[in-house]
Amino acid sequence: QVHTQEINEYPEDVKAEFLRVSEWIRAARKQHGARIVIRLVDPQSLGGIWKVLRHRIRRYPTFFVDGVERVIGWEGDPDAVLARALAQRGEG
C-alpha cells in the first residue's frame, strides 16, 4: 500500500512506464521462469547513477541481456533479444 501511494505521486508518463516495465517483468518470468534473472535498477539511486555513467545510458528503459547485449527502449524488442540469448545458451 505504501508503494501505491508513492507511485501515485509521480507524473502519469512515469506511472505508465512503471506499469509497462512491471507487466513485461511478470510476462518474462511467467514465460521463462527460473532460467532468467531480472534486476531492476533505479537510475536515480547511487548504484543506478554508476551504471548510467559506466554504460553511457541515455534512454530508458535500457535492458542488458547476459551483461553484453544492450536493448534501448521498447522498440529494441527485449523479448526477442531475451529469446535469442536463451536459445544461444541452449535454454530456448
Side-chain angles (χ1 to χ4, degrees):
Q1 187 178 18
V2 173
H3 294 297
T4 303
Q5 290 173 350
E6 290 174 358
I7 290 169
N8 287 333
E9 295 175 8
Y10 285 95
E12 289 301 317
D13 60 330
V14 174
K15 288 194 288 189
E17 191 65 26
F18 173 80
L19 290 173
R20 187 170 184 186
V21 169
S22 297
E23 288 300 317
W24 181 84
I25 290 171
R26 283 187 195 101
R29 290 293 294 171
K30 185 177 179 179
Q31 183 176 1
H32 302 292
R35 296 181 298 171
I36 63 170
V37 175
I38 298 173
R39 292 188 193 111
L40 189 61
V41 178
D42 180 359
Q44 295 181 350
S45 69
L46 187 57
I49 291 170
W50 167 247
K51 288 184 185 302
V52 166
L53 294 172
R54 180 176 172 218
H55 297 289
R56 298 181 181 135
I57 297 171
R58 290 180 174 75
R59 289 186 40 218
Y60 304 98
T62 297
F63 303 89
F64 286 89
V65 178
D66 284 343
V68 179
E69 188 165 358
R70 179 168 42 177
V71 179
I72 300 171
W74 295 106
E75 62 276 357
D77 196 5
D79 292 319
V81 175
L82 181 58
R84 188 170 59 243
L86 289 171
Q88 287 174 350
R89 286 192 213 157
E91 298 178 21

